[in-house]
Amino acid sequence: MHSRDHDAAVAVTSHVPHLMASLMAARLGEGPAGLARVAGQGLRDATRIAAGDSRLWGDILQANAPAVAGVLKDLHADLSRLVPALDALARGGAAERDLGMRTLVDLLERGISGLAGIPAAGHGRTSDDASPERHGVLVRVAERPGELARLIAAVTDLGGSAEDARAGLSGGGPGLTVRFAAPAGTADRLVTALAADGWEAVREDGGGRPAREGREGRKDTRIPTA
């Protein structure tokens, strides 16, 4: 994929969804009393990724700001149609309400059409990836401009996701240690491919620590974390 196409694609599929989840989650802090008692699974699904590491996501969004801004402008145009349509449904006459409903239904149907192009969860995955168990992959990121964005792009290209990523100060020196969560098969592929590309990457064991190779003669590549 051309780099410009890649930036546009991840802006739509990852970066802007994260911003939308954050904006929606921010509204929860300003909602009416008792809001938590009526919060259902739909809200949790729509806002889950808002819990992502703010420092990490700030760097990601900065690195892809032009493409993200372009998608947000398109969303702004849709919202500029949606808000008047809802106002017409609430307060307009018969003709205004009819136009408002047609606008609303058109936007909803466009959403259904767009979603139809995305494979269902688990489609095309291996049996390892279909497992609900997720494993941690730890990657050390040097303190150089653009390194974090380069890592995110590499992980995305390899089938991983930045949605559940967490970043912390590295306990072994300058820079960050970034943790990605992935199904077992994907985690193994991420470690192998990232290491081949020059990243210091290891799998996490079940206790949340970097896994130590038990084979004689293999190098221990543990990454200290804060």
Side-chain angles (χ1 to χ4, degrees):
M1 184 181 290
H2 188 278
S3 60
R4 183 176 297 177
D5 293 336
H6 177 273
D7 289 349
V10 296
V12 174
T13 60
S14 176
H15 302 168
V16 171
H18 191 96
L19 276 176
M20 293 297 100
S22 296
L23 291 173
M24 185 62 240
R27 305 264 54 81
L28 302 178
E30 302 174 11
L35 181 149
R37 293 200 298 271
V38 297
Q41 190 59 45
L43 175 70
R44 294 184 178 90
D45 289 343
T47 58
R48 177 183 61 83
I49 57 176
D53 188 292
S54 58
R55 177 178 178 180
L56 175 66
W57 274 97
D59 285 343
I60 293 170
L61 292 165
Q62 180 185 34
N64 201 26
V68 171
V71 178
L72 290 176
K73 289 172 184 175
D74 292 339
L75 281 170
H76 183 271
D78 283 339
L79 287 172
S80 296
R81 295 179 58 218
L82 177 58
V83 173
L86 292 171
D87 285 340
L89 289 172
R91 297 188 295 271
E96 290 81 5
R97 288 197 299 271
D98 180 66
L99 178 60
M101 180 57 73
R102 281 189 278 124
T103 300
L104 177 59
V105 170
D106 174 67
L107 290 169
L108 293 171
E109 288 181 345
R110 283 173 53 204
I112 294 170
S113 176
L115 193 60
I118 303 299
H123 178 74
R125 296 182 180 179
T126 66
S127 58
D128 282 341
D129 288 342
S131 169
E133 184 179 4
R134 297 175 71 79
H135 297 258
V137 174
L138 301 176
V139 188
R140 178 174 285 166
V141 181
E143 282 189 315
R144 290 193 296 269
E147 283 296 278
L148 189 55
R150 190 169 73 87
L151 172 61
I152 295 299
V155 169
T156 303
D157 287 344
L158 293 168
S161 172
E163 289 183 355
D164 299 319
R166 296 289 185 274
L169 295 177
S170 175
L176 297 174
T177 295
V178 183
R179 181 187 186 277
F180 299 92
T186 301
D188 288 335
R189 290 193 294 273
L190 280 176
V191 169
T192 300
L194 289 171
D197 198 32
W199 295 98
E200 189 176 349
V202 296
R203 268 276 300 273
E204 203 175 43
D205 68 15
R209 298 175 298 274
R212 183 187 292 272
E213 269 296 343
R215 296 179 186 174
E216 187 175 349
R218 288 287 294 274
K219 182 181 179 182
D220 179 6
T221 55
R222 299 182 67 162
I223 298 178
T225 55

